[in-house]
Amino acid sequence: MANETFHFQAPRDIVAWQFNRDFYCIVDHDKEVSCMGFLFFGSSEKMFIALDSKDQSKAEMTLQLFQDEFETSDHIQGEMMQVLLKRLIIIITRLGKQQYLQQKEDVGDKIDIIRNYNYLVENNFRKEHQVKFYADKLNKSPKTLSNLFALNSYKSPVLLIQERIFLEAKRLFFYTEKTSKEIAYELGFENANHFSKFFRKHANVSPTEFRKLSPVGAEV
């Protein structure tokens, strides 16, 4: 996702497929493989998917198809890339469900609710910090959502909101020169002191101390 950062010990050995919403995002169709599908909003944890030899062959074949297509420059190249990307997403979605849904038979509708909740949080966390806002959008009660998340071993709805706010706060401290007050306002806190308490609770250091640890703070 756009808000995630990974570090690899041997980046030269990594093959990465990256794309943005403008290139591929089907919100209203093909919900399983859209940009709000299972891979992106269907799990509360980062999914690292194991590949057996057959799956590895599929991945290598897909990579070769991508490489071949990059060498073909014409007016339909973009469409072919989207087809290949959709194929890749379908393959990984199937594997992800096998490995992360633990073969539950009744999770379909529940996963849709969880996925839609995560999607709503991603688009509204800067202004909406209460579970009730998201529950109303999903025509559920906050208690129903909490029970649903707990029964499926997900983090609580309120914790997902708080973690997303905290992640964005760290990103803003790390990559911008915005003050703590400016960041607090951007993330929907009317009172900078409330933001400071929120940040310290999650980071175990104050915003000022965290800023000193960032590249921006180190340059000051």
Side-chain angles (χ1 to χ4, degrees), residues 72-103:
T72 304
S73 181
D74 57 32
H75 68 284
I76 59 173
Q77 184 192 55
E79 294 182 27
M80 179 59 77
M81 289 292 190
Q82 290 174 339
V83 170
L84 292 174
L85 179 58
K86 185 173 182 178
R87 179 180 186 273
L88 176 66
I89 291 174
I90 289 173
I91 291 172
I92 300 175
T93 296
R94 287 172 175 168
L95 292 172
K97 286 189 169 184
Q98 291 171 7
Q99 297 178 27
Y100 281 83
L101 293 188
Q102 301 176 345
Q103 304 300 324

Side-chain angles (χ1 to χ4, degrees), residues 195-210:
F195 170 70
S196 181
K197 291 178 181 178
F198 169 87
F199 191 89
R200 180 183 285 276
K201 175 183 177 181
H202 289 273
N204 294 320
V205 295
S206 69
T208 300
E209 294 170 320
F210 185 84

Side-chain angles (χ1 to χ4, degrees), residues 27-38:
V27 175
D28 299 322
H29 312 284
D30 300 322
K31 63 181 181 180
E32 292 295 342
V33 294
S34 74
C35 61
M36 59 173 291
F38 174 77

Side-chain angles (χ1 to χ4, degrees), residues 3-5 46 125 161-172 187 198:
N3 58 27
E4 295 175 341
T5 301
K46 301 296 179 290
F125 73 89
I161 298 171
Q162 292 176 352
E163 287 186 345
R164 186 62 186 92
I165 295 170
F166 177 56
L167 180 63
E168 187 67 11
K170 289 195 297 181
R171 189 187 71 80
L172 291 171
L187 294 179
F198 169 87

Side-chain angles (χ1 to χ4, degrees), residues 139-203:
N139 296 316
K140 303 292 182 182
S141 71
K143 184 176 181 180
T144 297
L145 284 183
S146 295
N147 291 338
L148 174 63
F149 278 60
L151 287 173
N152 288 275
S153 301
Y154 280 77
K155 297 176 182 177
S156 71
V158 67
L159 182 58
L160 288 173
I161 298 171
Q162 292 176 352
E163 287 186 345
R164 186 62 186 92
I165 295 170
F166 177 56
L167 180 63
E168 187 67 11
K170 289 195 297 181
R171 189 187 71 80
L172 291 171
F173 276 123
F174 207 75
Y175 294 111
T176 76
E177 296 182 2
K178 293 182 179 181
T179 66
S180 180
K181 187 175 182 179
E182 289 173 330
I183 293 174
Y185 178 76
E186 183 170 335
L187 294 179
F189 290 85
E190 295 182 1
N191 188 304
N193 289 331
H194 290 168
F195 170 70
S196 181
K197 291 178 181 178
F198 169 87
F199 191 89
R200 180 183 285 276
K201 175 183 177 181
H202 289 273

